[in-house]
Structures are given as C-alpha cells and as structure tokens.
Amino acid sequence: MIVKIIKDKVDRESHILESGRTVLIERKGGMLEITAHYGGAYGMGEKFDFLNQKGQTVVNQVVEKFCNQGSFSYCVTPFFMTDTGFGIYVETREETVFSFQEKIRCEIPENAAVYVFTGSMQEILSDYIDLFGRPKLPPAYAFGIWISANRWNSERDVEEQLACLKKYRFPASVLVLEAWSDEATFYIWNGAQYEAKPGMAAYEDFDFTNSKFWHDPKGMIDKLHDEGIRLVLWQIPVWKKQGEEEEASAQLALDRAYAVQNGLCVMKQDGTPYEIPVGNWFAGSVIPDFTKEETRKFWFQKRQYLLEMGVDGFKTDGGEFIYQEDLLFGDGTTGREGKNQYCQDYLDAYTAFIREDGVLFSRAGYAGAHRTPIHWAGDHQSTNEEFQSILTAGLSAAMSGMAFWSFDIGGFAGALPDPDLYMRATQMACFSPIMQWHSEPEGGQFRELMPGISGNNERSPWNLADVYGQLEWMDELRYWHELRMEILPYLYETAREAVEHNKPMMRPLIYSFQEDADCLQVEDEYMLGRKLLVAPLMEQGQKTREVYFPEGKWYGFFTGQKYEGGNRQQSHPEEKFPVYIREGSAVLREYTDKVRIYVYGEQGSDTVYYDQQEFQIVWDSQKTEMKAEKGGMRKEIEWINVF
C-alpha cells in the first residue's frame, strides 16, 4: 500500500502495519521524523559502504568518485524500506539527508511530497518500481559475457581479441569499445576523413582509406555479428572544449557553436552557457540539456548512423557533471536539482533512442534508474577491499529496484589483480546478473595515485595468464566462462521474472526470506532469482566458507550434496564455488547439442523458460513430465534428478 503525504495536507500521520506496530510520521517543514521499530533500512541507491544503513547517515547526492567510493555513490535515490513493514520515498531531485538512528530523521525540501509504503519488502519494492515504470527487459545476449579494455582503439585490436577468443576457446557475447571515436565529437570513428557539416551524419560521409585505426568499421561489425558478438560503443554527454595540444576538430567546433547559439546546452540563469568547472573531468566542456526535445533531436541525428551500421548499444559513461546551482534547464529545474537529475535525463534520452534489441551500460543514475538498464558499479581498484565493497553495492542497488547490474571482474584500476582475486571475482560474476571484464588505459588513469603496469594492463584471462606465467590457469577460467553460457536460459528466465514481477535478479537474503530473523545478519549472500543461493568467496585465498541456509532443503550446484536449512554450515571442499539450489526447483542448462534439465528433490513442480516459451516440469522419484503450449524443445533433453 502507498500513501502520499503532501506538506500542505498533513503534518503528522500514523500508520498501522500488518504486524500491529505503529509507524508515527511527523513532518515539520524540511524535517521528516519517523518513530518506528526496525532492524534494518535498505535502499538509498547503489551504496558501497553498507547494505543495512541503520546507524548511518546517508547523503543522497550523485557524485563521481574514482575508486574507493566509501559513502559516495554514482547512483542514488531518496528511497528506503525496512524489515518491519514500511518504507519511504521522497519525491524530489534535490539533495536529501537520511539519518537512520533510533528514530529516522530526513532532511528534505519543504515542497517535496513523501510516499509511505507498507507491506513486505517485496511488496514495497514493487510499489516503488511502479511509481516510475518497469524496466525494459534487456535482450537475451546481454546475459552472456561482456569483454572490454580501454586500450582497444583499432580494428586490429578487435581482430586480435577475436583471435584470442578462438585460440583460447573462450565464449563472448558483447564487445565494448571505449576508445573508438575521434575523442572530439564522440560520434565519428577515429581516423575517418570527412567534410564538416551541420545536420545529420551518415556512414557514407566518412572515408576510411587512410585511417590507421578503422578501415571498414561496418564490415568489422558484420564480422562480430557473424561470430555471435554484439558491439557497444562508449559515450559521454559533452561538447568538448579542446585543448591547445589537441588537433582541432572542425566538426566539433561547428556542433558546439550550434548548440550554444540555439540554447541546446545547459545554461546558467544569466543566459550564458554552463561549462564544466576547472578541476573536473572534461573541464570547459558544455553539456547537452536533454530536457529539451530540440537537443535530443540534434544530439541523436549525429548518432543515428551508428545504429544503422549495426551498433548494438552504448556505454553511457559520466553524467555527474552538474557542479553549480545557478543553472536553468529547459524544463524549469535548476542546478540544485540537476546535480541528481541530469544523469537520469541523459540515460532516459538514450533509452528512448536505442533499438528494441539494443542495450545500455550505464554508471550514474537517480530515482527511477531501474527503468534504464543496465548499470555497472563504476571504477574500482583491483584489491580485495574494493571487491567486498562491490558486493555491497550490488545488493544495495538491488534493494533500490535495479534488476540488472554488473561490475568489472577483478577491478578496473591500478596494479593488476592477483590470480586469487581474479578467480574469486570471476566465480561471483558467473552468478551475477551481468558478467564482464574491463580495464583502464595503459599505465593507469591516475598514474601518480595508483599506477598500473607498464604496457598491456588489460584484465583479459589471456593477458593475466601471460603476465603471471600461468597459462594452465586459463583452463579453470574457461570453465567459468563456459558455465556462464550454459546457465543463460536460467539467467534470462530470471530476467523475465524480474520485469514481470518487479523483483531484482540479485536478492539479499533478507529480501527473499524476510520472516527469517537470522537473514538480517547475512549481508554477503544472495539469491540469484528464486532458485539459486550464492555465497561468494570474499576473503583472500578462501576456498570454503560458512554459509547460512534459510529454511528448507538445498542442494550443492556442483556436487548435489543435500543441506538442511535454518542453520549455518561450512561449505563442502568439493563444491567448486558455494552455490546451492532450492528444493523444488528445475534448472535448465544448455549445451551445443542438448539441454540438461536438473530437478531438485524427490518430487516437485516448476517452470523453465527456453526458446521463447515456458515449460511446466512435474516430477517425482519415478518419472518426469514436461508440458508446453507450443510443443517441445528443439534440442535433445537429458533429465537429471537430484535428491
């Protein structure tokens, strides 16, 4: 249930929860005070410091922070829910401060409406998601394996990666190119020759004859598609200010001048264009005002040709570019509101632009970010401490409504991850919504703070194996990549359920088992969908760990060993990674020539989704039956009963 409280209507209100407890909400101007019993407060966006924010003070402000985010976040929302039946969303774009102590105190704008939710956490999160609209379901290929490295800046690099995938027998579904453009317009392939002009861009405008970077980008995309790999290109929302040491771009000068003259960029209240202040990323650049239809039209007519030539999506980086309050956007909002809202306007614009089967991969966001999937956790060092914070961020993002989330395997920045960290991160990524590896530029983005290695520092399995002299190590890494592709049917099945039922793919135990008080203390395990329990290995050198099993019966994903729930147990050494299947589940795994359907428990009934249709599976210890509306599966079926 949702109740909307508006300042002019109510100053004090009580809500009786299903538990019989009372929540007292008092509002005096810009202060909201809540008196209630609660053990945990969850949400607030993608938070890297704590999953349960009780005892903390949270500032909801979008901040771009390179590594070691701590209490900062790229993606925030003024929403939380508790384990005792209530939640709050403050409808504002401005900064808010929430203090989760014995009483909950929220510093909010005086004119902001407040939504009060009651019910279970699953009900509250669903109602919050519906305030903005449900997310777009990413295409099935998005749940495969994403590969990326900032150093790839030429067709030769792409061909090299295709060769490595074949040589080392690794699967991949999506290839991301960050350094593909001219680093000026960010929509023209680097090295292309052309005549600067206003209006639309077309592929035929560009001559690649003398380019040392890309000689046939459309042919390259066709080749990637033939190999079953989709292409995503990096984007940044700026009309850049070019430095004196850079080669001048006549097209950028033309675009920027048109944007300024026609008010397509974010403007100051005095009518002059806003420029990103000195000391920040892309200082001196003007930025598009995506609240204006004319801006969106001008911006995307330059990029439409990329979709027409086969580009499958965009990595929408940045967006945390509002550093002043004296601004005025096309929809009447100010810089005070734009500090949070700008990144979301940016993502909303790209979400509307891409094809139905296209993807976004975004870092920043605000309230309603779940509508613009997919998100990744941003920039992190290759350290175990950062790895631990990433798990917290993923679970916090889930409790804020974001169903589709990812992180850079083994970290993005600084010295390369050691083999142990990279392996544990690969294992967790295999059982995360999106699996991808990526790395920063050669030598490190901030070399004086956290230098990388000299030369090739990409986080590909083959590069790490070469650096550490452990080529045999790739056999195990290949296993996890192949396993990821085997469980794609389950991942897509879970993604569909996430959209249809307003549930994240990655679910903290307290979300899935709210009645189990012990789950309140478990912050390093999660359910991947409704069937798989995942307990990542978060400590250096860890091979086994203590696992809390909620009520019921559970089966080891790799051994089939049976575990009784309602207690803590040490994971079995023979389990390759602590993943467990809930009794009564059917899980489909796809191979080249067949599918295997694993059913867990002596008897049960469950559904699986494969080949664009649902199958009802019913089994007991003697037989297994499968029903479908449109016929059978297109591959041979092998049944495996685990009990």
Side-chain angles (χ1 to χ4, degrees), residues 332-523:
T333 57
T334 67
R336 185 179 179 89
E337 299 161 294
K339 286 183 180 182
N340 283 328
Q341 187 61 31
Y342 183 78
C343 58
Q344 195 56 47
D345 291 338
Y346 164 43
L347 302 190
D348 285 336
Y350 269 84
T351 300
F353 171 61
I354 60 174
R355 295 191 305 262
E356 186 62 30
D357 64 342
V359 290
L360 290 186
F361 203 49
S362 307
R363 182 174 75 177
Y366 189 59
H370 61 266
R371 289 177 304 148
T372 53
I374 302 163
H375 290 265
W376 98 96
D379 299 337
H380 295 92
Q381 282 184 269
S382 296
T383 67
N384 205 61
E385 292 73 22
E386 288 268 68
F387 181 44
Q388 292 168 348
S389 75
I390 286 169
L391 174 59
T392 300
L395 297 180
S396 178
M399 296 294 260
S400 303
M402 286 181 275
F404 309 112
W405 173 89
S406 178
F407 66 97
D408 297 337
I409 292 174
F412 162 83
L416 290 173
D418 64 46
D420 174 73
L421 171 59
Y422 191 79
M423 181 61 71
R424 289 182 291 112
T426 297
Q427 292 169 330
M428 187 176 104
C430 181
F431 292 96
S432 296
I434 307 295
M435 180 178 183
Q436 67 109 18
W437 44 262
H438 178 47
S439 56
E440 66 176 340
E442 302 278 84
Q445 189 165 345
F446 294 97
R447 295 169 179 81
E448 69 281 3
L449 296 178
M450 50 186 76
I453 65 168
S454 58
N456 183 348
N457 70 345
E458 73 179 42
R459 270 71 168 164
S460 63
W462 37 90
N463 188 56
L464 287 168
D466 181 61
V467 169
Y468 290 114
Q470 298 182 18
L471 292 178
E472 69 283 356
W473 181 55
M474 277 200 293
D475 292 338
E476 188 174 355
L477 287 171
R478 185 185 307 107
Y479 170 84
W480 296 100
H481 284 68
E482 291 175 341
L483 176 59
R484 175 72 179 195
M485 302 306 289
E486 289 174 18
I487 64 173
L488 267 181
Y490 176 71
L491 294 166
Y492 192 63
E493 171 190 316
T494 300
R496 291 180 69 252
E497 291 176 353
V499 172
E500 291 176 7
H501 302 293
N502 283 359
K503 293 183 177 182
M505 290 184 68
M506 193 174 180
R507 307 168 187 176
L509 295 195
I510 190 64
Y511 172 90
S512 295
F513 305 97
Q514 190 173 341
E515 299 305 315
D516 187 340
D518 288 331
C519 288
L520 186 67
Q521 309 303 321
V522 182
E523 298 192 356

Side-chain angles (χ1 to χ4, degrees), residues 290-301:
F290 287 111
T291 69
K292 294 183 177 181
E293 183 178 350
E294 314 93 274
T295 302
R296 296 192 297 272
K297 180 180 178 181
F298 180 71
W299 185 265
F300 290 116
Q301 72 179 3

Side-chain angles (χ1 to χ4, degrees), residues 119-135:
S120 68
M121 285 198 287
Q122 295 188 25
E123 292 168 334
I124 290 171
L125 191 59
S126 178
D127 287 342
Y128 168 74
I129 290 171
D130 275 338
L131 282 181
F132 303 91
R134 300 189 178 193

Side-chain angles (χ1 to χ4, degrees), residues 7-26:
K7 175 181 179 291
D8 294 338
K9 180 181 176 183
V10 175
D11 281 322
R12 176 185 175 105
E13 184 158 329
S14 296
H15 296 269
I16 307 298
L17 308 179
E18 292 181 4
S19 62
R21 297 190 178 102
T22 300
V23 176
L24 177 62
I25 300 173
E26 298 179 272

Side-chain angles (χ1 to χ4, degrees), residues 31-105:
M31 180 61 72
L32 189 71
E33 185 171 275
I34 304 165
T35 304
H37 171 79
Y38 74 106
Y42 305 91
M44 299 277 100
E46 183 187 48
K47 302 298 294 181
F48 295 88
D49 49 1
F50 300 98
L51 174 60
N52 181 355
Q53 293 291 342
K54 187 171 185 181
Q56 310 303 317
T57 296
V58 181
V59 179
N60 286 301
Q61 184 75 79
V62 172
V63 176
E64 192 253 322
K65 171 73 165 61
F66 181 71
C67 299
N68 300 296
Q69 277 75 21
S71 62
F72 296 116
S73 178
Y74 306 102
C75 190
V76 301
T77 180
F79 161 79
F80 73 88
M81 57 185 176
T82 69
D83 62 319
T84 51
F86 74 94
I88 296 287
Y89 167 63
V90 180
E91 189 177 51
T92 180
R93 298 174 175 182
E94 295 185 24
E95 175 185 303
T96 53
V97 180
F98 287 64
S99 181
F100 296 100
Q101 309 304 324
E102 204 60 36
K103 287 187 176 183
I104 301 173
R105 291 183 172 87

Side-chain angles (χ1 to χ4, degrees), residues 105-338:
R105 291 183 172 87
C106 313
E107 298 175 33
I108 64 176
E110 291 192 14
N111 62 347
V114 176
Y115 291 80
V116 181
F117 304 84
T118 58
S120 68
M121 285 198 287
Q122 295 188 25
E123 292 168 334
I124 290 171
L125 191 59
S126 178
D127 287 342
Y128 168 74
I129 290 171
D130 275 338
L131 282 181
F132 303 91
R134 300 189 178 193
K136 176 183 176 181
L137 176 65
Y141 67 78
F143 300 97
I145 296 162
W146 295 53
I147 65 173
S148 177
N150 182 272
R151 63 179 288 271
W152 302 343
N153 67 355
S154 69
E155 209 159 320
R156 181 181 60 190
D157 290 329
V158 173
E159 291 170 354
E160 180 183 341
Q161 297 313 308
L162 288 176
C164 286
L165 289 168
K166 290 181 178 179
K167 177 180 179 180
Y168 300 114
R169 307 190 312 282
F170 273 75
S173 304
V174 179
L175 185 144
V176 181
L177 288 176
E178 289 198 338
W180 68 278
S181 78
D182 55 6
E183 297 295 316
T185 66
F186 299 108
Y187 64 82
I188 297 174
W189 292 85
N190 199 13
Q193 299 297 307
Y194 60 95
E195 182 177 342
K197 67 175 186 177
M200 297 182 67
Y203 186 63
E204 294 73 22
D205 295 338
F206 307 115
D207 180 1
F208 299 96
T209 304
N210 298 315
S211 173
K212 64 179 181 179
F213 300 102
W214 315 99
H215 63 269
D216 181 13
K218 186 177 187 312
M220 178 191 71
I221 294 172
D222 291 341
K223 183 176 181 180
L224 284 169
H225 289 173
D226 289 343
E227 298 288 342
I229 299 174
R230 307 300 180 114
L231 180 67
V232 167
L233 299 181
W234 188 83
Q235 290 285 272
I236 195 76
V238 300
W239 283 294
K240 186 178 178 184
K241 178 182 179 180
Q242 291 197 274
E244 295 180 359
E245 71 285 356
E246 295 180 285
E247 182 180 350
S249 167
Q251 185 64 57
L252 171 59
L254 197 64
D255 292 348
R256 178 169 169 145
Y258 184 88
V260 171
Q261 291 165 8
N262 292 275
L264 305 185
C265 52
V266 175
M267 306 294 285
K268 294 183 181 180
Q269 291 177 359
D270 64 7
T272 60
Y274 164 71
E275 294 184 352
I276 299 174
V278 174
N280 297 293
W281 200 23
F282 287 100
S285 300
V286 297
I287 62 176
D289 183 350
F290 287 111
T291 69
K292 294 183 177 181
E293 183 178 350
E294 314 93 274
T295 302
R296 296 192 297 272
K297 180 180 178 181
F298 180 71
W299 185 265
F300 290 116
Q301 72 179 3
K302 305 289 187 179
R303 291 158 174 80
Q304 179 63 37
Y305 88 94
L306 296 171
L307 298 185
E308 292 170 356
M309 66 186 290
V311 171
D312 299 287
F314 298 98
K315 183 173 184 176
T316 38
D317 204 352
E320 313 93 338
F321 288 146
I322 305 301
Y323 300 97
Q324 296 176 203
E325 295 187 1
D326 62 331
L327 308 180
L328 189 62
F329 290 82
D331 64 354
T333 57
T334 67
R336 185 179 179 89
E337 299 161 294

